[in-house]
Amino acid sequence: MGLVLSAWLIGPAADRVPSSSSSFPPLAVPTSSRVTLILSSSAASPGDRRSHWSSQHHSPHFQLSQCKQEATRAPAELSSDGVRAEVGVESGLHVWEVTWNPEHRGSHAVIGISRQDCPLQDSGYKVLVGGDSLSWGWELQTNQLWHGGETLACFPCERRVSLRLKSSNSLHSKETDAPLLIPERVQLVLDADAGTLGFAVDGSFLGVAFRDLPPGVELFPAVSSVRGGARIALRYLNGTTRNPPALKALCGLSILQNLGQQRQNQVDKLPLPPLLQHYLLSSF
C-alpha cells in the first residue's frame, strides 16, 4: 500500500499548488514538528472558554459580545484600552487566532500576551500591551515588538533584511523597508514550556518574536487599541502538551502536506482504508 500511496501523492505536475500572492510565505521560518502539527490540526470548538475575552479584565471602554468572543472599543478620547482573555495557560503549546480588520486598527494597535495583572487602561494614546514588564506585544501598524515600555525590534525584520540582501532589485529593497500590512487574521503561537511567543500569518509561521517568557506563570492573550469602533475577535485554535507528537499524527500531516491545498478534498480517493481516511478528514 505504501508504494501505491506514494505514487498517488506524487501525481501529475498540474496538481501542484500555485505560488501564493501573499507576501508572507517568503518570510516563513522552519518550525518544529509540534508547531507544524498544531497549526495544521482542526480547531477547537468555538464555544471553548479559552476563546472568551475576560468579562472582568478589560478597560471600561471595551464592550464584550454576549458570547464573549468579540470585544469592541467604544469611542473615547485620549485613552488607551486593553482586554485580555478569560483563560490563561502556564504550560504547553497553544495557538489562538485574533481577528482584527486592518481598517479599524488605527495607531497603537497591539496583539500579544500578558500576565494576570497587566494594566488595561491608561490616559493618552500609547502602546498598552508591551507597555510594561507584565506584557509582550506586537504593534501591527509599525511591526514593532514591545516589552517593558520599549521597542525591542521590528518583526519579522531580520528575515526581511536577509531577503533584501539577496535581491538585486532596488524597488524590492524599498518595499521591504516599509512596514508590512498585517492581514485581518493573526495566530499567536505560545510555547509556555519553552518560554517563547511567535506569530503566524496567512498560513506562514513568521518565527519567534519573544523569548525568555517567565516559566510557570499564567499568560493570557491580550490586545490594546486607541481606535473607536475597533472590533477584535478571539478564537482558541488548538493546544498540546510538551510530549512529542504521536507518530500517527505526524504521518497524517505528511500525507496532507504532500497532497497540497488543491487536493485536500481528494482524501477519499487515497488508497487507504476508510478508517484512516476518516482520521485525516476529522483531525486536520
Side-chain angles (χ1 to χ4, degrees):
M1 186 189 338
L3 292 176
V4 176
L5 178 60
S6 298
W8 198 97
L9 288 174
I10 292 174
D15 287 334
R16 294 290 177 254
V17 179
S19 59
S20 171
S21 59
S22 169
S23 59
F24 292 96
L27 303 176
V29 301
T31 63
S32 67
S33 59
R34 290 175 73 230
V35 172
T36 302
L37 185 61
I38 199 172
L39 288 174
S40 305
S41 299
S42 298
S45 166
D48 193 301
R49 288 185 60 241
R50 290 168 292 187
S51 293
H52 295 173
W53 293 118
S54 173
S55 56
Q56 296 181 345
H57 298 89
H58 63 81
S59 163
H61 295 138
F62 263 111
Q63 301 171 348
L64 304 188
S65 62
Q66 186 174 2
C67 65
K68 298 197 291 187
Q69 294 179 359
E70 192 172 81
T72 302
R73 183 186 180 274
E77 294 185 358
L78 297 176
S79 179
S80 298
D81 306 285
V83 56
R84 72 161 172 81
E86 180 176 275
V87 179
V89 298
E90 297 181 5
S91 62
L93 174 65
H94 303 269
V95 179
W96 292 264
E97 183 173 77
V98 172
T99 302
W100 192 347
N101 189 326
E103 295 182 0
H104 298 157
R105 287 176 185 163
S107 65
H108 306 90
V110 193
I111 65 174
I113 59 170
S114 74
R115 297 179 64 164
Q116 186 168 4
D117 299 324
C118 169
L120 296 173
Q121 200 276 328
D122 202 354
S123 59
Y125 299 136
K126 62 187 67 174
V127 166
L128 208 55
V129 175
D132 61 14
S133 62
L134 301 177
S135 58
W136 297 257
W138 184 26
E139 207 286 302
L140 301 179
Q141 191 78 8
T142 62
N143 301 164
Q144 294 290 325
L145 298 176
W146 282 77
H147 175 61
E150 299 179 349
T151 57
L152 304 181
C154 180
F155 180 81
C157 286
E158 290 184 5
R159 178 66 174 155
R160 291 161 64 190
V161 169
S162 175
L163 291 175
R164 183 171 68 246
L165 292 176
K166 294 178 181 179
S167 172
S168 60
N169 189 320
S170 60
L171 177 60
H172 178 74
S173 298
K174 293 180 181 178
E175 289 177 348
T176 54
D177 285 332
L180 291 169
L181 176 60
I182 309 301
E184 184 176 35
R185 298 176 185 273
V186 179
Q187 287 82 44
L188 286 71
V189 183
L190 172 62
D191 191 335
D193 299 319
T196 62
L197 173 66
F199 298 95
V201 174
D202 284 348
S204 301
F205 181 65
L206 302 181
V208 171
F210 296 99
R211 301 181 185 273
D212 301 320
L213 301 177
V217 173
E218 196 169 16
L219 298 172
F220 303 80
V223 299
S224 64
S225 174
V226 301
R227 171 69 181 266
R231 186 176 299 174
I232 310 165
L234 179 68
R235 174 79 188 276
Y236 180 78
L237 296 183
N238 221 317
T240 186
T241 65
R242 68 172 65 194
N243 296 327
L247 180 58
K248 180 173 70 172
L250 292 175
C251 291
L253 176 64
S254 179
I255 290 173
L256 291 182
Q257 287 178 330
N258 279 279
L259 274 176
Q261 293 182 356
Q262 284 190 327
R263 298 196 293 175
Q264 294 289 308
N265 61 348
Q266 299 182 28
V267 170
D268 59 332
K269 297 180 181 179
L270 290 171
L272 293 173
L275 189 62
L276 292 181
Q277 292 181 5
H278 175 74
Y279 169 73
L280 292 174
L281 291 170
S282 60
S283 301
F284 298 93

